[in-house]
Amino acid sequence: MAAAMPLALLVLLLLGPRGWCLAEPPRDSLREELVVTPLPSGDVAATFQFRTRWDSELQRKGVSHYRLFPKALGQLISKYSLRELHLSFTQGFWRTRYWGPPFLQAPSDTDHYFLRYAVLPREVVCTENLTPWKKLLPCSSKAGLSVLLKADRLFHTSYHSQAVHIRPVCRNARCTSISWELRQTLSVVFDAFITGQGKKDWSLFRMFSRTLTEPCPLASESRVYVDITSYNQDNETLEVNPPPTTTYQDIILGTRKTYAIYDLLDTAMINNSRNLNIQLKWKRPPENEAPPVPFLHAQRYVSGYGLQKGELSTLLYNTHPYRAFPVLLLDTVPWYLRLYVHTLTITSKGKENKPSYIHYQPAQDRLQPHLLEMLIQLPANSVTKVSIQFERALLKWTEYTPDPNHGFYVSPSVLSALVPSVVAAKPVDWEESPLFNSLFPVSDGSNYFVRLYTEPLLVNLPTPDFSMPYNVICLTCTVVAVCYGSFYNLLTRTFHIEEPRTGGLAKRLANLIRRARGVPPL
């Protein structure tokens, strides 16, 4: 009995004063969702979002135990006092004119003193970028929506973009305490005519070569949303299988949308075969209507001839019939394109359009690029042209890429704007709304925030003939080898005088035979 008392006391000390059943609830949570959207062009967009939220102030105290939040990112926040981070890898170009505005935009950091912005216009996205990204997920790629992330299918698409967003989120209205939110997003656009063999029908297995088997056991919410806005119950133009149990309606990017919801945490959703393959079939061919034009889209190009001077032009389209709105334009131009700021012109409907705000930071050779930021008012139903002339610099021969004749890439322009909404949105609870509707909430329901990127440009620079150094090197090496070889041969060779020898027995016999024949001897 005396020996049992210390053991029981040790158990009580380990459990703490709360006892067995009053364990502290976890302060972190995981939500995951997939949004499948048939695009007006006939393609299919799939957007994954994995949100991990942790009620911990990482910048104020050291944290040693991590449950759902990745330890590598948590240590990064603590060590460098990180406020916000947005990192993305994108291959392809989101065609806003034909696909509409994208779901995912990165929110701005208005404190320029702490803002660090960088862009790499050309980088080959390989599977090694996807593997570390998946390892940050609590369930990795073993369960939940992440089982669909098959590398060979994701990178065989028209567009794919993977990103990591870290930001602090207020826990209450006064923001006396914060939580850290990690959002891992992945957006892909499948060509339905290729994956669907010329049809607009699609399914999860046809796009990802896999189906959903089980939810992530660590997730508090795991859902799939399918855009069925074009579904007409009277005409029954399309069929969604299996039929959804619930639907969700809201104003998304200024347009009223309807989504079918598939909750993976619902035990009845995944059947006994542990297989959920969502399919959409068109009962009759859809009508070939012109896709709706978004209120804001842009286009960028480079003009001019020769390899000395040129012009960068950006076209900003406001297709709203009667509303004008401002747009914040951000351009980052490499230092080897020397901008002539006095040639900056902005025209709308044939008239000069003066920006209400402009900030320019000149480049430093081989240190930093040009930075040009402007706030431009776009008139209703207009096309605004922003152009600036530049001069190409001559690089050092060691600064050229291995394929210099391919050209040099210029990063795309960034457009940020509050676009007028077609339908006014009502105030919603952002915690209860889907993830795709809460990344950048706007308090005013008459507008919605959009961030767009133009095309990256390919500019040719004055390039020397790299074959000439090769020819010179080959010729020089040949001349040196011949001259040095001959001179070295003369210096190192030894010469010997050989005395004539008298012939042997064979030579004497040959001379006797030749003499008998009347032939001169050898």
Side-chain angles (χ1 to χ4, degrees):
M1 183 67 179
M5 288 298 294
L7 181 59
L9 181 61
L10 178 61
V11 171
L12 290 175
L13 290 175
L14 291 177
L15 290 176
R18 298 189 179 184
W20 293 88
C21 300
L22 298 179
E24 183 179 359
R27 296 184 301 168
D28 52 359
S29 61
L30 170 66
R31 293 176 60 185
E32 60 177 7
E33 73 176 26
L34 167 62
V35 183
V36 182
T37 307
L39 299 177
S41 61
D43 302 321
V44 179
T47 304
F48 294 84
Q49 282 203 63
F50 304 88
R51 192 198 71 171
T52 304
R53 176 172 291 187
W54 192 11
D55 297 340
S56 175
E57 298 182 2
L58 297 176
Q59 293 180 341
R60 295 185 180 180
K61 59 181 179 180
V63 180
S64 59
H65 178 67
Y66 291 80
R67 180 174 173 264
L68 299 180
F69 203 90
K71 185 177 181 180
L73 298 181
Q75 292 177 342
L76 183 67
I77 297 173
S78 302
K79 183 176 181 180
Y80 298 101
S81 299
L82 191 66
R83 293 189 175 184
E84 200 168 338
L85 172 65
H86 304 277
L87 176 65
S88 63
F89 296 90
T90 303
Q91 183 75 13
F93 173 64
W94 183 272
R95 306 181 184 278
T96 308
R97 174 65 178 80
Y98 303 99
W99 296 346
F103 271 129
L104 305 176
Q105 308 96 15
S108 59
D109 188 342
T110 56
D111 194 344
H112 290 260
Y113 182 76
F114 297 100
L115 178 62
R116 300 294 182 269
Y117 174 78
V119 60
L120 183 63
R122 183 189 184 190
E123 200 270 341
V124 179
V125 176
C126 62
T127 55
E128 289 306 315
N129 286 334
L130 181 64
T131 302
W133 186 88
K134 291 192 295 185
K135 289 182 178 179
L136 298 176
L137 298 173
C139 290
S140 184
S141 58
K142 306 299 182 182
L145 300 178
S146 57
V147 298
L148 301 177
L149 304 180
K150 192 176 180 181
D152 59 339
R153 300 296 298 173
L154 296 180
F155 297 134
H156 188 64
T157 54
S158 304
Y159 171 87
H160 60 268
S161 176
Q162 60 190 64
V164 174
H165 305 278
I166 302 176
R167 64 177 182 177
V169 179
C170 296
R171 300 186 199 175
N172 48 40
R174 296 184 178 181
C175 202
T176 56
S177 58
I178 63 172
S179 301
W180 283 96
E181 180 186 81
L182 166 64
R183 293 210 186 195
Q184 296 178 243
T185 62
L186 176 66
S187 300
V188 291
V189 176
F190 293 91
D191 191 339
F193 290 95
I194 295 179
T195 58
Q197 299 178 354
K199 300 180 181 179
K200 289 187 177 183
D201 302 343
W202 59 264
S203 65
L204 292 182
F205 183 79
R206 183 174 296 176
M207 293 189 296
F208 300 101
S209 297
R210 291 178 180 176
T211 57
L212 296 174
T213 56
E214 60 179 349
C216 175
L218 300 176
S220 60
E221 182 180 304
S222 181
R223 294 181 177 181
V224 178
Y225 294 84
V226 179
D227 188 355
I228 56 173
T229 306
S230 58
Y231 175 75
N232 191 335
Q233 190 173 4
D234 297 332
N235 298 330
E236 295 184 353
T237 56
L238 57 85
E239 177 184 0
V240 183
N241 188 32
T245 56
T246 58
T247 59
Y248 173 77
Q249 293 184 355
D250 202 350
I251 307 301
I252 307 298
L253 298 176
T255 307
R256 187 178 300 277
K257 296 287 187 178
T258 304
Y259 294 91
I261 302 179
Y262 297 88
D263 191 355
L264 299 186
L265 297 181
D266 185 3
T267 56
M269 183 57 61
I270 299 180
N271 51 24
N272 297 329
S273 61
R274 301 176 63 85
N275 181 14
L276 176 60
N277 183 24
I278 303 175
Q279 305 178 23
L280 186 145
K281 297 181 179 180
W282 291 88
K283 292 186 177 181
R284 64 171 183 265
E287 299 178 359
N288 295 325
E289 299 179 356
V293 180
F295 286 155
L296 175 64
H297 60 280
Q299 181 183 1
R300 198 182 190 201
Y301 60 91
V302 60
S303 58
Y305 59 91
L307 293 177
Q308 182 180 3
K309 296 183 179 181
E311 185 178 74
L312 295 175
S313 299
T314 305
L315 299 180
L316 309 178
Y317 294 87
N318 176 13
T319 60
H320 200 284
Y322 55 88
R323 286 281 300 273
F325 54 86
V327 171
L328 186 63
L329 176 65
L330 176 64
D331 265 336
T332 305
V333 183
W335 64 268
Y336 45 78
L337 299 182
R338 309 192 187 280
L339 298 181
Y340 295 148
V341 184
H342 69 280
T343 63
L344 176 64
T345 58
I346 304 174
T347 57
S348 299
K349 295 184 176 181
K351 299 180 180 179
E352 182 181 1
N353 187 346
K354 293 184 178 180
S356 55
Y357 163 79
I358 184 169
H359 169 72
Y360 173 69
Q361 181 177 343
Q364 297 182 18
D365 289 356
R366 300 172 181 85
L367 292 180
Q368 69 179 22
H370 303 269
L371 180 64
L372 181 61
E373 189 176 19
M374 296 176 289
L375 184 62
I376 306 172
Q377 186 76 12
L378 302 184
N381 196 17
S382 65
V383 179
T384 301
K385 181 179 180 181
V386 182
S387 60
I388 186 171
Q389 297 180 7
F390 66 89
E391 182 180 359
R392 296 173 172 88
L394 183 63
L395 304 179
K396 297 179 180 179
W397 71 276
T398 55
E399 295 175 341
Y400 286 91
T401 57
D403 52 349
N405 291 309
H406 178 75
F408 292 78
Y409 282 88
V410 180
S411 59
S413 300
V414 185
L415 282 74
S416 304
L418 288 176
V419 180
S421 177
V422 177
V423 183
K426 298 180 180 180
V428 296
D429 185 3
W430 299 113
E431 287 298 323
E432 300 297 331
S433 61
L435 297 178
F436 63 84
N437 196 22
S438 61
L439 181 60
F440 198 89
V442 179
S443 58
D444 186 6
S446 61
N447 301 296
Y448 62 94
F449 178 80
V450 171
R451 174 162 292 165
L452 303 178
Y453 297 85
T454 62
E455 307 93 334
L457 299 180
L458 187 62
V459 179
N460 291 322
L461 295 182
T463 305
D465 187 0
F466 286 100
S467 64
M468 292 305 297
Y470 174 77
N471 296 334
V472 171
I473 291 174
C474 293
L475 180 61
T476 304
C477 292
T478 303
V479 172
V480 170
V482 172
C483 297
Y484 177 77
S486 302
F487 186 69
Y488 180 81
N489 194 17
L490 292 175
L491 292 178
T492 58
R493 178 181 293 182
T494 58
F495 297 92
H496 301 279
I497 300 176
E498 295 184 358
E499 297 294 338
R501 299 178 180 179
T502 58
L505 179 61
K507 185 176 181 180
R508 289 198 295 269
L509 290 176
N511 288 334
L512 289 175
I513 295 174
R514 294 172 68 87
R515 190 177 295 113
R517 293 180 177 179
V519 180
L522 298 174

